Every structure is written in structure tokens, then in C-alpha cells.
Amino acid sequence: MTVTLNDLLAENLNIFCWCNKCSHNKVIKTEQIIKKLGPNYPVPLVGRHLKCKKCNNTRDITTRPNWPTHGGQITRHTT
Ligand SMILES: [Zn+2]
């Protein structure tokens, strides 16, 4: 099952973007991307529409939900 932008909005999560070329990373607000791509857009494909501000890379950007990392106690279904 693919995670869509709407899923992130429901979970109150933003999108973590990572440039594989220069390791530049950024968190983008889910609402902002939904305005552009619509709520049913798959999160892993969002990177195709992004451009790295540091190295101008457009082809190799990874996007994933910005899971909270603090605390380390996350209970969540991952399947
Ligand atoms: Zn970059």
C-alpha cells in the first residue's frame, strides 16, 4: 500500500526530503504539497517535483513521512 499525501495530513505529518547527491535535506509542509499535487498523490513520488536548492538536483530526491524521532517510542503499524 502506498502512503499518500492525504494519509500524512490525517496523521499530522510533514514530508522529509533528502537530496541523494549533496545530502541537503528539508521538511516540507504536507498542506503545501497537496495544493500542488492533490491529496491522492503518493509520498515517495513527491521528490520528482522537487529541486534541491543547494545543487539543483531534480532527479535524485527521496521523500518520506517525517516520522518523529524524539523519544524513540513509536507504536505504529508499518505494513
Ligand atoms: Zn542537492
Side-chain angles (χ1 to χ4, degrees):
M1 194 191 120
T2 310
V3 178
T4 61
L5 293 172
N6 207 29
D7 293 331
L8 292 199
L9 200 64
E11 302 247 10
N12 217 357
L13 291 168
N14 289 321
I15 302 166
F16 182 83
C17 317
W18 177 274
C19 173
N20 289 303
K21 293 218 165 124
C22 74
S23 297
H24 182 67
N25 56 87
K26 196 186 173 193
V27 174
I28 296 180
K29 288 214 183 271
T30 303
E31 293 101 322
Q32 201 180 317
I33 297 290
I34 284 183
K35 274 184 203 159
K36 233 175 151 180
L37 303 173
N40 293 320
Y41 201 85
V43 173
L45 301 186
V46 170
R48 294 180 183 182
H49 298 266
L50 302 175
K51 182 178 180 181
C52 177
K53 278 189 178 151
K54 216 171 173 186
C55 71
N56 287 332
N57 167 32
T58 55
R59 305 181 63 97
D60 203 6
I61 294 175
T62 300
T63 43
R64 63 162 176 81
N66 186 33
W67 309 117
T69 50
H70 54 269
Q73 270 259 325
I74 304 166
T75 49
R76 182 182 296 279
H77 296 286
T78 50
T79 46

